[in-house]
Amino acid sequence: MTLPNLTPTRRIGDPRCGSRDTDDSPTCGALATWHVAWRLTPAAEFSLACDEHMARAQRNFVYADRHPAGVDCDMPGAGWAIGDPSFCVLPPDDTDRAFLATEEQLTA
């Protein structure tokens, strides 16, 4: 599977595109419209992307799932709920995390 280079970013509840055109360029920073799951197992990897960078990702990479980005997607402790469509949730406690991919620490 081909994935973009992923760079750790802090989750602050402000979904912004973390895509970069080159390793040396700054992140896009536009409002994120898509939350992308590059893979859900064994170690989940996610990104937030604007429309432009989502279109590029669709042309150049393989991803497991995506859904429209919301504030909950960029909150610490958010988990990916697999469904049709998928969505992000903030579970009330750790016992509700069994169905979630919770390793959301990386973004492209």
Side-chain angles (χ1 to χ4, degrees):
M1 177 185 302
T2 302
L3 298 173
N5 292 329
L6 300 174
T7 305
T9 60
R10 287 189 6 221
R11 298 287 176 210
I12 57 172
D14 183 23
R16 297 287 168 175
C17 180
S19 299
R20 298 181 300 162
D21 294 329
T22 67
D23 289 341
D24 298 329
S25 64
T27 58
C28 170
L31 183 64
T33 50
W34 293 101
H35 194 193
V36 183
W38 298 105
R39 62 178 165 210
L40 294 168
T41 59
E45 293 183 310
F46 305 94
S47 293
L48 291 164
C50 64
D51 285 333
E52 177 184 344
H53 285 108
M54 185 70 237
R56 276 193 220 168
Q58 288 179 297
R59 286 192 305 270
N60 297 308
F61 303 108
V62 175
Y63 56 91
D65 198 4
R66 72 175 184 161
H67 59 250
V71 172
D72 52 344
C73 296
D74 196 45
M75 294 297 290
W80 190 282
I82 298 168
D84 188 20
S86 61
F87 56 96
C88 283
V89 296
L90 292 168
D93 60 50
D94 288 341
T95 60
D96 292 334
R97 293 177 186 255
F99 68 98
L100 300 173
T102 59
E103 294 295 318
E104 187 168 3
Q105 297 174 2
L106 302 175
T107 189

